[in-house]
Every structure is written in C-alpha cells, then in structure tokens.
Amino acid sequence: APQIRKMLSSGVCTSTVQLPGKVAVVTGANTGIGKETAKELARRGARVYLACRDVQKGELVAREIQMMTGNQQVLVRKLDLADTKSIRAFAQCFLEEEKHLHILINNAGVMMCPYSKTADGFEMHMGVNHLGHFLLTHLLLEKLKESAPSRVVNVSSLAHHLGRIHFHNLQGEKFYQSGLAYCHSKLANILFTQELARRLKASGSGVTVYSVHPGTVNSELVRHSALMRWIWRMFSFFIKTPQQGAQTSLYCALTEGLEVLSGNHFSDCHVAWVSAQARNETVARRLWDVSCDLLGIPVD
Ligand SMILES: NC(=O)C1=CN([C@@H]2O[C@H](COP(=O)(O)OP(=O)(O)OC[C@H]3O[C@@H](n4cnc5c(N)ncnc54)[C@H](OP(=O)(O)O)[C@@H]3O)[C@@H](O)[C@H]2O)C=CC1
Ligand SMILES: CC1=C(/C=C/C(C)=C/C=C/C(C)=C/C=O)C(C)(C)CCC1
C-alpha cells in the first residue's frame, strides 16, 4: 500500500523562488487544490487574491492562510465563473485595484454535475471550466503582459483523454453525459492553453501558459457523484492530499527557466503526454474562435 501511495503521489515543487511584490490570482481558492496553491503562494510572500463564488467561505480561508503564513496580503474577491457578469465585474475591480498580475491560476472546476446551464446559457462544465476561465484570462491578459514575465496555469486533468470537442453539441443539448461533459471541458482547457501559448509566443509578450493534471486528489470535486464519493472514500489512503495536488500548479507557476515549455501539459511536476485530440491545432483554433463568439469577444 505505501508503494502504491508513493506512486500515485509523486511530484514535488522544489523551487525556492520567493514572491515579495508579486501578485497572484487563484480561482476556486476556498477549498481543495486551489486553497493549498494559494497558501503556498502566500507563504512565499505574494499578494494573493482568492477568487471565490462564495465570499464567506473565502474569508474564512483567507484568515486561515493569513494565520498560517503570517502574510496579511491575502484578499478575497467575488468571482462566479458561471456568470459572465460576475467575471467582468471581478476583472474590472481587479484592474482598477492592482497595477500588476504575475500569476493567474485558473483552478476552479465542477465535475459530473447534473445537466444545468450557466447564467449565460452555457452547459455548466464547458461554461465554468472552459468558457469562464477563457473570458477571465482574456480580460486580465493586458495586465499580465504589462507585468511580464508572468504566467497562466490552467488546471486540466488526465480525464481530457476521454474528451472530444463536439462543435455541433458544445452546450450538451443534443446529448449529455455528466462524466463525459467534464472530460470535454478538461480537453478544452488543454486546447486553450496551447492556442494561447502560440499566440503569446508569436507576440513575444513574456507571458507563458501551462496546463496541468494535479493527480487524483482527495477534494470536494466528487460532490456531485455518489459513486465517485464512494471510490474516493475507499481509496482515500492512496490518493493525493490537496497539498500534494497543488504541487504541479506551483511547479508551473514558480519554476525558473520553464518559459521554453510554454503551452506544455504537466503532471507530477513533469511534462506529460496529451491525447491526439489535445494536440490538434485546427480544433484548438476553431475552439478559440467559437469561444470568442459565444463570449462576445472580437475574433482576431
Ligand atoms: N480532485 C481531483 O482528483 C482532480 C482535480 N482536477 C481539477 O483540479 C481543479 C480543482 O479541483 P479540486 O480542488 O479537486 O475540487 P474542489 O471541488 O475541492 O474545488 C473546486 C473549486 O472550484 C470552485 N468553483 C466551482 N464552481 C465555481 C464557479 N461557478 N465559480 C467560481 N468557483 C467555482 C469551488 O467553489 P465552491 O467551494 O464554492 O463550490 C471550489 O473552490 C479543478 O479544475 C479540477 O477539475 C483535475 C484532476 C483531478
Ligand atoms: C479505480 C482506482 C482508483 C480510481 C481512480 C479514478 C476513478 C480516478 C478519476 C480521476 C478523475 C475523475 C480526475 C478528475 O479530473 C484510485 C483511486 C486511483 C485507486 C486505485 C483504484
């Protein structure tokens, strides 16, 4: 058992980089992997924005992080990725408030929720996990460029291997299966990462972007599925703690010299292989254009 646990929990961010004067935003930072990611960024001295849909939960966690790290610069702001008005309001306040943004961790996510739609009519997985973060990144991109060198980390999953981008059924209206909907959205995270990296490289912006699989992590992600909750309980000894799950996001946000690997996918703090779908540039470009269209962003 300890061997299996070790195998499933490898990957440690060994970077010693400190972050005084740096600014970071972590979405879904009130629990799970996001909370541990935010805690470590705060421990290293960054001003960290916990972008949470439930501000009360966020405030409790902010106080906990302040107590544990001694860093008082841990701030909570409302962000509901299932509502583009909330995303735009968050971005507007942030841009007014902050001169810089060095690290954006697109971490929040939902898995296997029953068929439902966001405030803007997007299927929930695609809406929150992909489109919400796509819009947030778009709105913060100028600030990231002004703050370069800066980084974006998109938390995807190994589950992307089962994902497909069905352009004729992006909102799951023709057919829907909650597990697959999650996989599709995680594939979209990787395609977005690659297309964004290509564009940023071409413009020589100094902003780099990475996608990660955090591992199988004991968190609230399984809340919508009784079967997954049961599997997680049965195997809780073997799977990663949220702190272990945060390591690959931290590795991509902090490791010096990683710029040349912009656009790559990481797992256990190493470059990881992605599916053939996730390497398809045509699909990545089309998904970019369709996402812009859906969100009312001018296509360039
Ligand atoms: N756990 C695992 O085994 C794996 C996780 N991942 C990925 O890791 C990331 C973090 O997941 P994990 O920590 O495990 O899961 P958790 O469910 O513990 O955390 C998810 C976070 O996302 C937030 N969130 C959900 N919906 C929204 C929304 N509409 N607006 C803003 N925030 C929202 C949640 O807020 P609230 O608490 O208010 O609901 C919560 O803070 C996800 O992207 C997930 O897909 C990938 C592979 C495996
Ligand atoms: C069967 C089995 C497992 C199940 C793994 C599963 C079901 C992983 C799902 C991961 C997901 C959904 C990731 C989210 O993005 C464990 C726990 C490794 C322990 C060994 C046996």
Side-chain angles (χ1 to χ4, degrees):
Q3 279 303 322
I4 299 173
R5 187 172 208 287
K6 201 171 157 204
M7 198 175 75
L8 292 172
S9 307
S10 67
V12 175
C13 172
T14 54
S15 165
T16 55
V17 164
Q18 296 297 309
L19 302 170
K22 302 288 183 193
V23 181
V25 170
V26 183
T27 70
N30 58 280
T31 187
I33 299 166
K35 175 180 167 184
E36 294 304 320
T37 308
K39 192 187 289 172
E40 185 56 30
L41 296 174
R43 188 169 282 131
R44 291 169 186 252
R47 177 153 60 251
V48 184
Y49 284 82
L50 313 184
C52 304
R53 66 172 157 181
D54 185 331
V55 174
Q56 268 184 336
K57 282 193 204 169
E59 290 293 355
L60 284 175
V61 169
R63 276 201 286 280
E64 185 189 319
I65 296 178
Q66 285 167 349
M67 295 264 287
M68 288 181 81
T69 64
N71 181 346
Q72 300 308 305
Q73 301 279 296
V74 182
L75 309 159
V76 181
R77 296 293 178 268
K78 165 100 182 160
L79 171 70
D80 183 354
L81 289 156
D83 182 353
T84 57
K85 281 203 190 76
S86 170
I87 301 169
R88 288 183 183 281
F90 169 87
Q92 193 184 338
C93 290
F94 180 84
L95 296 177
E96 282 167 10
E97 201 169 2
E98 277 296 340
K99 283 203 182 64
H100 296 291
L101 175 59
H102 303 97
I103 299 172
L104 169 61
I105 313 264
N106 288 324
N107 164 84
V110 288
M111 182 174 83
M112 295 179 80
C113 38
Y115 189 72
S116 50
K117 287 188 166 180
T118 68
D120 304 87
F122 308 138
E123 185 280 311
M124 193 57 74
H125 294 89
M126 204 43 96
V128 170
N129 299 357
H130 168 60
L131 291 167
H133 283 124
F134 185 100
L135 178 60
L136 179 68
T137 309
H138 166 78
L139 295 171
L140 299 179
L141 201 55
E142 272 314 303
K143 192 66 92 185
L144 283 157
K145 287 180 182 170
E146 288 162 19
S147 315
S150 54
R151 294 186 184 184
V152 179
V153 178
N154 294 321
V155 183
S156 175
S157 169
L158 188 67
H160 82 272
H161 279 278
L162 298 177
R164 296 287 178 275
I165 304 300
H166 298 296
F167 286 104
H168 63 288
N169 187 39
L170 217 50
Q171 309 310 337
E173 278 158 345
K174 296 196 174 74
F175 49 92
Y176 179 78
Q177 202 284 324
S178 64
L180 286 177
Y182 175 73
C183 299
H184 302 331
S185 72
K186 292 285 126 179
L187 171 61
N189 290 154
I190 298 183
L191 292 166
F192 169 49
T193 302
Q194 296 185 354
E195 185 57 23
L196 181 59
R198 266 194 286 278
R199 287 166 183 250
L200 290 169
K201 255 180 223 167
S203 66
S205 65
V207 186
T208 53
V209 48
Y210 312 88
S211 60
V212 313
H213 167 59
T216 304
V217 181
N218 201 352
S219 73
E220 294 174 34
L221 190 70
V222 293
R223 64 185 98 177
H224 293 295
S225 161
L227 175 66
M228 294 297 273
R229 279 201 306 274
W230 181 81
I231 296 177
W232 256 229
R233 250 202 318 276
M234 290 294 287
F235 290 99
S236 59
F237 176 73
F238 295 100
I239 63 182
K240 288 187 182 184
T241 62
Q243 201 246 346
Q244 290 169 327
Q247 295 304 307
T248 306
S249 296
L250 291 164
Y251 177 86
C252 290
L254 301 173
T255 302
E256 285 164 313
L258 211 67
E259 289 78 7
V260 289
L261 294 176
S262 182
N264 273 270
H265 183 66
F266 289 76
S267 176
D268 290 336
C269 301
H270 287 105
V271 172
W273 197 241
V274 296
S275 68
Q277 280 289 311
R279 282 178 271 125
N280 188 323
E281 279 190 37
T282 313
V283 176
R285 276 205 198 94
R286 186 167 167 205
L287 179 64
W288 181 283
D289 291 349
V290 169
S291 303
C292 286
D293 227 31
L294 289 167
L295 293 163
I297 299 169
V299 180
D300 47 3

